[in-house]
Amino acid sequence: MRILVAEDDEALRSVLERGLKRAGYIVDGVADGSDALTYLRSYEYEVAILDWRMPVMSGIEVLRSLRRSGTGVPVLMLTARDMPTDRVVGLDEGADDYMVKPFDFPELLARLRALQRRPSDAHPPQLLVGDLVYEPTSRTVRAGGKAIGLTQIELGILEVLLQRSPAVVTRRSIALQVWQYEADAVGSNTIEVHVAHLRSKLSGAQVRIETHRGVGYRLVPA
């Protein structure tokens, strides 16, 4: 799952990116609010982490623009502004959570998981097709009540297919959501290889992954 980190402090941004990647997230990092808004309009994110003080556009300005446009991506404000009035402004402008620097990284991860658990029309708490059940927050997969072990890449592909089922998901959409750099997957047979491994591991489940040649894949009940 993909997360945006908008933070102008290069050292902190690097720490956040490394820690989130170790936790299994795909991370895009930007240094100013204008780039953050461009990324948020171009890609689908599970959560956006915004610093308040950024060049070009502040995190609050980015947040206001998102909410005016009707974009419902969950936003966690991560900022040194620790006055109660700052928290009120951030939450009233549409932030879903608010953390003050310095922060504890395990708590940040817990807050991200909490945001992911919040129900929405686009991403329900559980993703279900056939007898396959996927829990996005714990990243666990079960079929017929039995756990299925998948790699991070396989989990990412399955999550995208489940979210869009029964629609066909293009190879580019899969690459954007699962790989840090989409060209690494689109320009080779990397996606095909991982889909083949995923099919093998799901062979006992009541689902099937259909290939739509030249377009992409879709997941449907068997």
Side-chain angles (χ1 to χ4, degrees):
M1 89 192 30
R2 203 172 195 102
I3 285 184
L4 178 71
V5 175
E7 168 61 60
D8 65 333
D9 184 318
E10 184 176 355
L12 177 56
R13 187 173 67 253
S14 178
V15 168
L16 286 167
E17 289 180 14
R18 291 197 305 271
L20 291 169
K21 287 176 183 176
R22 283 196 298 268
Y25 295 101
I26 301 297
V27 185
D28 291 328
V30 296
D32 67 67
S34 178
D35 283 347
L37 196 55
T38 297
Y39 271 69
L40 285 161
R41 288 171 173 169
S42 302
Y43 301 101
E44 294 181 14
Y45 291 100
E46 291 289 333
V47 180
I49 299 174
L50 301 180
D51 182 23
W52 188 311
R53 293 190 180 98
M54 288 189 291
V56 187
M57 288 181 71
S58 70
I60 285 294
E61 290 173 319
V62 173
L63 181 58
R64 286 172 182 155
S65 182
L66 285 176
R67 298 311 186 226
R68 281 198 302 267
S69 68
T71 303
V73 59
V75 171
L76 170 65
M77 295 296 298
L78 185 62
T79 173
R81 299 180 65 127
D82 60 354
M83 297 296 293
T85 51
D86 295 327
R87 296 171 188 264
V88 170
V89 170
L91 294 170
D92 280 350
E93 291 292 347
D96 298 272
D97 202 352
Y98 194 104
M99 283 191 75
V100 175
K101 305 172 187 175
F103 60 93
D104 180 68
F105 195 78
E107 181 185 354
L108 174 66
L109 291 177
R111 287 173 180 261
L112 292 177
R113 292 192 295 270
L115 290 176
Q116 291 169 237
R117 284 195 296 270
R118 293 185 182 179
S120 69
D121 293 337
H123 303 290
Q126 285 186 339
L127 298 174
L128 312 170
V129 173
D131 67 342
L132 197 67
V133 181
Y134 175 59
E135 299 277 359
T137 54
S138 61
R139 296 179 69 77
T140 56
V141 180
R142 301 189 311 277
K146 296 181 179 179
I148 299 176
L150 302 177
T151 66
Q152 293 290 342
I153 294 292
E154 291 161 359
L155 277 170
I157 294 173
L158 180 61
E159 184 173 18
V160 175
L161 292 176
L162 281 164
Q163 288 173 348
R164 311 284 178 83
S165 180
V168 176
V169 184
T170 66
R171 296 174 74 255
R172 183 173 184 273
S173 291
I174 292 172
L176 283 170
Q177 293 300 313
V178 181
W179 273 267
Q180 186 71 35
Y181 304 105
E182 62 177 288
D184 293 345
V186 172
S188 67
N189 70 338
T190 300
I191 293 177
E192 286 77 6
V193 170
H194 286 284
V195 169
H197 291 163
L198 181 58
R199 275 198 181 106
S200 177
K201 293 182 179 181
L202 298 180
S203 59
Q206 296 174 11
V207 297
R208 70 175 182 272
I209 300 174
E210 296 180 347
T211 299
H212 290 252
R213 194 169 300 278
V215 181
Y217 304 91
R218 74 171 186 152
L219 183 74
V220 295

